[in-house]
Amino acid sequence: MLKNLLFFLLFQLSAGAQNLPNDVTVRKGLPNFSWKLKHNMGDTVRIAFLGGSITQAENGWRDKTFNWIKQQYPSIKFKQINAAIGGTGSGLGVYRVGEQVLKYKPDLLFVEFAVNDFSEPRTAILKSMEGIVRKTINANATTDICFVYTITNDIYNMYNNNGIPVSIAAMEELASYYRIPSVNFGVAITQLLNDKKLFIKGPKPNSNDSSFFSGDGGHPYPETGHKIYAETMAKSLKQLLLKAAVFNHTVYTPYYSDSMQNSSMIDVLPYMQKGGIKSIKDIQEDMGQKFTNLLPNLLLLNDTLQEIAFSFTGNRIGFMDVIGPSSAQITVSIDKDAPRYINRFDSYCFYFSRMHWFFIDGLSNGKHYISIKLSPVQPDKFLLLDKENERSTLEKPEEYEKFIWRVGKILIPGTL
């Protein structure tokens, strides 16, 4: 009886390990990137990173991977294109990729959205990720792409129950169809967690010998989680770079949809502006300055007489903006519909400022006219504060008495 029980337990452990995803799936590999590395032509080799906060983190897997590549090829000039924004998934990434990645002509593009797409439906992920792939290939058929999958406590629990997140499953469908390689950082982490050599969350390490992956179960510490991520990528790249060739990637018949292939992100143009709207370039002390690397033409609306208005064709419209303590509610009028009131201030604005975005959905698929102004009546921001006694601890409380909408880009699935 005891022997049978031990056999059953060993079988279960073995089955769980066998059902883990591959840490690297080579498919076609990175042939063009490898060719450039092996045939140093004196050109700068560009590596782009498109993702969320895990990729955005300084001294994280992005920096560690970039530095590892530079160390392996010291005679080559490299440039890093950091297009990672915390809290964003592929639904925004498909709009950002042209302006913030492809215009810099990368030789290699890492795409990391599995965590931030975790709760998104499969169809939405397929649309946006396929849009990123098709846009990249159309911009330059020799740009190699690699999908990257990170891990959270929820994903770890799924792996241990022989499951896989919808986000990773959908991305693997596309990776298989377009023969894009993928690297799954979560496999090594899962194995270490199961062996009790690592713990999913705990205090921030005081030295490099910490056994904690992260502080929250998702955002790795540079000394531990990110270090293991980078080691996994370095090991994977040794396989992905084996075959070197000049190869044109092909935009096949769409796997699911090419509806996002022509989506775009543009500046708010002068003809759309009314009422003396100010540019961030003229306000050096504004908190929006720290976001101008990705939103260089940020505009500030701080008066109800100011307006942004234009026509567009499609069934939705979106905006990329910057929100923080001084953010405001805006009034959006589309055609003859009732006004929409959209508050661009949320509870996180008490703690940090950030780039953000929103869409207006559910429109008929046709031509529309949109007008946006600051709302004449603004909500009480402090109603969103968790505790009343926290109000006295806020830095620069006067900022909360201001009402500004900082808009950087228009997100267009159709055309203007």
Side-chain angles (χ1 to χ4, degrees):
M1 179 71 177
L2 181 59
K3 185 183 291 186
N4 290 339
L5 178 60
L6 288 172
F7 175 80
F8 175 76
L9 290 173
L10 287 171
F11 176 78
Q12 288 295 95
L13 289 171
S14 174
Q18 288 174 354
N19 285 320
L20 278 175
N22 296 324
D23 55 359
V24 57
T25 305
V26 175
R27 298 189 176 95
K28 196 170 285 185
L30 305 173
N32 296 296
F33 185 67
S34 179
W35 190 92
K36 280 208 165 187
L37 297 180
K38 292 180 179 179
H39 300 80
N40 185 359
M41 307 298 290
D43 298 331
T44 299
V45 177
R46 295 171 170 82
I47 305 173
F49 298 82
L50 180 67
S53 58
I54 296 171
T55 297
Q56 184 183 30
E58 293 185 6
N59 196 28
W61 79 268
R62 170 179 54 83
D63 285 334
K64 293 177 189 295
T65 296
F66 183 74
N67 291 334
W68 181 85
I69 294 172
K70 288 201 300 181
Q71 290 168 4
Q72 302 305 305
Y73 303 92
S75 64
I76 297 178
K77 294 182 293 184
F78 290 96
K79 178 179 176 59
Q80 182 187 149
I81 302 161
N82 177 12
I85 300 177
T88 67
S90 63
L92 180 63
V94 69
Y95 288 90
R96 298 198 294 116
V97 68
E99 171 74 17
Q100 297 177 348
V101 175
L102 300 180
K103 79 174 184 181
Y104 299 108
K105 300 179 179 179
D107 298 290
L108 171 60
L109 170 60
F110 291 108
V111 182
E112 176 271 311
F113 284 126
V115 166
N116 286 350
D117 279 359
F118 180 80
S119 299
E120 295 297 318
R122 169 180 173 272
T123 53
I125 296 168
L126 289 175
K127 280 184 181 180
S128 54
M129 287 294 289
E130 187 159 27
I132 291 171
V133 171
R134 296 177 74 85
K135 282 185 174 187
T136 301
I137 296 173
N138 280 329
N140 185 347
T142 62
T143 297
D144 290 334
I145 305 171
C146 180
F147 289 173
V148 177
Y149 310 136
T150 54
I151 192 171
T152 63
N153 195 36
D154 289 336
I155 295 176
Y156 167 65
N157 290 332
M158 291 187 74
Y159 287 160
N160 275 341
N161 286 286
N162 296 328
I164 187 168
V166 170
S167 57
I168 294 179
M171 292 173 192
E172 281 294 274
E173 289 183 57
L174 291 171
S176 178
Y177 183 74
Y178 287 97
R179 301 179 69 187
I180 294 169
S182 58
V183 178
N184 192 324
F185 292 159
V187 176
I189 300 297
T190 297
Q191 291 169 337
L192 289 168
L193 292 172
N194 287 345
D195 292 341
K196 304 302 181 186
K197 295 179 180 178
L198 189 71
F199 299 91
I200 193 72
K201 60 181 177 180
K204 186 175 182 179
N206 294 318
S207 61
N208 291 339
D209 60 357
S210 172
S211 58
F212 297 112
F213 168 73
S214 70
D216 60 2
H219 293 85
Y221 291 130
E223 301 89 342
T224 54
H226 274 296
K227 180 174 180 288
I228 298 166
Y229 279 3
E231 289 170 351
T232 300
M233 180 58 77
K235 181 182 73 171
S236 300
L237 284 172
K238 290 176 182 178
Q239 297 184 56
L240 298 176
L241 298 175
L242 286 176
K243 294 182 179 179
V246 177
F247 176 82
N248 286 332
H249 298 288
T250 304
V251 179
Y252 305 99
T253 302
Y255 174 76
Y256 180 76
S257 171
D258 62 356
S259 62
M260 302 301 292
Q261 186 171 312
N262 297 315
S263 58
S264 60
M265 181 175 74
I266 68 166
D267 291 332
V268 180
L269 301 174
Y271 81 85
M272 305 174 181
Q273 306 171 34
K274 300 178 183 178
I277 296 172
K278 295 182 179 180
S279 167
I280 190 70
K281 296 174 183 177
D282 300 324
I283 311 174
Q284 293 301 315
E285 70 279 6
D286 189 81
M287 65 93 171
Q289 287 291 343
K290 63 182 178 180
F291 302 101
T292 53
N293 60 322
L294 292 178
L295 297 176
N297 297 310
L298 202 63
L299 298 175
L300 285 72
L301 281 71
N302 59 2
D303 191 296
T304 56
L305 297 178
Q306 296 169 332
E307 179 184 16
I308 290 174
F310 58 91
S311 296
F312 67 95
T313 300
N315 59 7
R316 72 190 314 225
I317 192 74
F319 296 88
M320 194 170 178
D321 55 7
V322 170
I323 62 176
S326 55
S327 291
Q329 178 175 277
I330 56 176
T331 301
V332 180
S333 300
I334 299 180
D335 303 329
K336 296 181 180 180
D337 294 350
R340 294 167 169 85
Y341 300 96
I342 301 175
N343 192 0
R344 299 308 297 148
F345 180 94
D346 61 24
S347 59
Y348 295 105
C349 293
F350 289 111
Y351 310 107
F352 56 92
S353 303
R354 65 197 193 277
M355 284 182 281
H356 212 257
W357 76 100
F358 66 94
F359 283 98
I360 299 170
D361 291 296
L363 304 175
S364 60
N365 195 10
K367 188 173 182 179
H368 303 279
Y369 180 81
I370 185 171
S371 166
I372 307 175
K373 297 181 178 182
L374 286 186
S375 297
V377 178
Q378 294 289 334
D380 186 348
K381 297 177 181 179
F382 294 106
L383 293 176
L384 293 176
L385 195 59
D386 291 336
K387 298 176 182 178
E388 183 61 31
N389 60 7
E390 289 185 7
R391 183 169 181 169
S392 62
T393 66
L394 295 172
E395 295 183 14
K396 298 182 178 180
E398 68 276 5
E399 288 296 307
Y400 298 88
E401 304 299 330
K402 300 176 183 178
F403 299 97
I404 301 170
W405 184 42
R406 297 171 178 84
V407 55
K409 296 287 182 180
I410 304 172
L411 309 173
I412 307 169
T415 59
L416 285 178

